[in-house]
Amino acid sequence: MPPPPRTPPRSPGAPARSGPDLPGLPRAARRPAADAVALRRALHRTPETGLHLPATQRLVLDALDGLGLEIRTGRALSSVTATLTGAADGPTILLRSDMDALPVIEDTGLPFASRTPGLMHACGHDAHMAMLVGAARLLAGRRDALAGHVVFMFQPGEEGDHGARHMIGEGVLEASGSRADAAFALHVQPTLPAGSVRLRPGEQMAASDRFRVLVRGRGGHASAPHTTCDPVPVACEIVLALQTAVSRGLAADDSAVLSVTGLNAGTAPGVIPDTAELSGTVRTLSGPTRRRLHEAIARIAHGVAAAHGATAEATVTPGYPVTVNDAAFTEFVLRTAAETLGAGAVGVLPAAQLTAEDFSYVLQEVPGALAFLGACPPDLAPDESPSLHSSRMRIDEDVLATGIACEAAVALAFLTGPGARPAR
C-alpha cells in the first residue's frame, strides 16, 4: 500500500486547519474586555513618550502576570516581549502593540484624561496595549488548542523613534526560539465606523521622511535690504517651489505628499537675519518616488538660493519605510475577521494612506499585515470624529472587545492544528 499523501506546506496566508470557534470569540472577548477598558484608562492617565516608558511598562507587566507567558523586557528600551507556547509544536505568529504617547495637550474632557502635562495618548496606543493584553488572556485560556507560539510584542518609540527596529535588533522576531512566520497588528481609527476592520494588500501606509533646508544669506539693517542678501524671501520662494515637486514632478496617479511645516528666521523687527530655516515631511509609497523627491528637495533649494546669491543646505532624514501588507496573509486576515465578526464588518481599504508606521520594519522581515479597527465615538459620525494625533481624539471603548476577538482569531486560525511551517 502506498504511503498516504503528505499535507502540502501552507502558505503564510492559510490557517493550519479549520476548527476554532471563531464566531464565538466576540462573546468570549467580553470578559477580558472589561479589564481592557480599565487598563486602557490607567494607561491613558499616565502617558509617556519615546523609548523609555517605565510606568507604561510596569502596567503592561502587571496586566500579563499570571498568564503563564515567557516574559522578556528590553535592554535599550522599555519593551515587553511575552511568548505563549501552545500544546504542540508549530509555527510562530507575532502580534504587536505600540506603547508610546505624543507631546499633545489633551482637550477631550474625559474623566480619565492625561495627568501628565503636555502628553497624551492621541494615537490610540493605550487601546492597542489593552487589546493585546486582552488577546493574550483569551489565547492563554486556549493554549491546548494551539500548535505553535504566539509572541506578544509591546513596543515603545513608534512615534518617530524606530522602536520596532530596536526590538528587531534585540531579537523579538526570534523570541519563541525560531523566527516568526507571520505578524499582525491592529490600529484603531476614529474616522472609521466603530467595529469595522479595514486593510488592503500591498502598500497600505507611506514611507515618512523629514527634511530641513538652511538658507544662508547676509544680514543687515532692515532699512537697507539692498546692502544684504535677505534669506527670508529666498526661503519663501523655496517653499513655493517645493509645492510643484509633487504636482508637476510626479504622475497624477503616483501618491505623494510634501509639506513644509516649519519656517524660522530672524530675531528682531529691525534686523535682516543671516539665515532662514524651513523643515517638513515627505510621504511616498514607492522607492523610486521617494528617491526622486529627495533629489528634488536638494535641487530646488540649491537652485532658488543660487538665483538670489544665497546658498542652501538641504538635509533629508529617512524615516519609516512603506508599510506593505503581504497579499496572502491579508486575504487570510480578511477571511478570518469576516468569520469572526461578520462579513459586514470587514472590508478592503480602497486606497493607501500617507500616514506612516514603524510596524513596516517587521513587515520587511516577516509576511503579515496591519489592519485598521474602526473606533468612531458613538456620539459622532466618522467624518466628524477628530482624527489620530488630535488633542480631541476619542474612541468608542466598546471596540476593545472587537479588537481582542480579532487578534485572538488571527492567532487561533493560524496556529490551530497540524501542518508544516508556512512556505517563505
Side-chain angles (χ1 to χ4, degrees):
M1 179 181 295
R6 295 180 60 190
T7 303
R10 58 190 173 92
S11 74
R17 71 165 183 226
S18 60
D21 177 22
L22 300 184
L25 286 177
R27 181 173 61 255
R30 292 174 191 163
R31 183 172 297 175
D35 291 333
V37 170
L39 176 59
R40 184 252 166 170
R41 293 182 177 189
L43 291 161
H44 195 89
R45 290 187 192 100
T46 57
E48 297 173 297
T49 57
L51 295 170
H52 303 289
L53 321 173
T56 304
Q57 183 187 55
R58 174 44 52 194
L59 284 168
V60 170
L61 289 170
D62 289 347
L64 294 173
D65 189 39
L67 297 183
L69 308 177
E70 180 186 345
I71 305 288
R72 300 178 188 174
T73 55
R75 298 186 297 276
L77 68 171
S78 301
S79 61
V80 176
T81 302
T83 302
L84 171 63
T85 299
D89 191 24
T92 296
I93 185 167
L94 180 148
L95 303 178
R96 174 271 202 167
S97 164
D98 31 21
M99 301 170 72
D100 53 325
L102 284 159
V104 171
I105 300 172
E106 183 161 357
D107 187 27
T108 61
L110 293 170
F112 51 89
S114 171
R115 296 176 181 172
T116 307
L119 302 184
M120 176 190 173
H121 270 295
C123 200
H125 299 184
D126 51 346
H128 300 169
M129 288 181 277
M131 290 189 298
L132 194 56
V133 168
R137 292 180 179 176
L138 206 58
L139 291 167
R142 289 162 171 75
R143 72 176 72 234
D144 289 345
L146 301 179
H149 309 269
V150 185
V151 173
F152 303 96
M153 174 184 177
F154 294 88
Q155 176 225 304
E158 193 281 324
E159 298 290 353
D161 292 296
H162 305 269
R165 190 174 65 188
H166 288 291
M167 288 192 72
I168 291 170
E170 292 194 354
V172 69
L173 299 183
E174 294 78 31
S176 69
S178 60
R179 192 169 180 82
D181 298 280
F184 180 61
L186 275 179
H187 200 301
V188 295
Q189 178 54 270
T191 57
L192 287 175
S196 62
V197 174
R198 299 287 185 269
L199 69 162
R200 70 193 313 269
E203 294 81 6
Q204 176 158 304
M205 299 176 76
S208 173
D209 305 316
R210 300 173 183 176
F211 66 86
R212 172 181 176 268
V213 176
L214 180 64
V215 180
R216 295 187 183 277
R218 185 178 66 257
H221 202 290
S223 68
H226 61 286
T227 65
T228 73
C229 179
D230 190 346
V232 175
V234 177
C236 292
E237 284 196 28
I238 292 173
V239 172
L240 294 175
L242 285 174
Q243 305 310 304
T244 66
V246 171
S247 65
R248 290 296 180 267
L250 301 179
D253 59 352
D254 190 356
S255 296
V257 165
L258 190 157
S259 294
V260 177
T261 56
L263 181 58
N264 296 287
T267 57
V271 178
I272 290 175
D274 289 313
T275 62
E277 182 177 3
L278 58 97
S279 58
T281 182
V282 57
R283 310 293 179 105
T284 53
L285 292 171
S286 73
T289 299
R290 192 180 191 185
R291 291 190 293 272
R292 190 177 304 133
L293 287 181
H294 289 189
E295 294 166 359
I297 291 168
R299 184 181 67 253
I300 289 170
H302 294 157
V304 172
H308 292 274
T311 62
E313 301 170 11
T315 304
V316 180
T317 303
Y320 298 156
V322 180
T323 301
V324 182
N325 287 342
D326 178 80
F329 192 83
T330 297
E331 179 59 31
F332 163 62
V333 171
L334 288 166
R335 293 196 312 268
T336 302
E339 184 177 350
T340 305
L341 307 174
V346 181
V348 176
L349 198 68
Q353 299 191 2
L354 294 180
T355 51
E357 246 289 349
D358 80 342
F359 191 58
S360 54
Y361 290 121
V362 175
L363 296 181
Q364 284 185 326
E365 303 289 332
V366 177
L370 179 143
F372 293 117
L373 174 63
C376 180
D379 58 325
L380 295 172
D383 61 351
E384 299 171 337
S385 179
S387 67
L388 298 172
H389 290 213
S390 166
S391 63
R392 301 182 306 281
M393 195 280 286
R394 295 183 292 121
I395 66 167
D396 182 349
E397 290 183 319
D398 286 347
V399 307
L400 298 185
T402 306
I404 291 168
C406 185
E407 289 178 330
V410 169
L412 277 167
F414 195 79
L415 298 182
T416 299
R421 280 189 189 277
R424 298 299 295 273

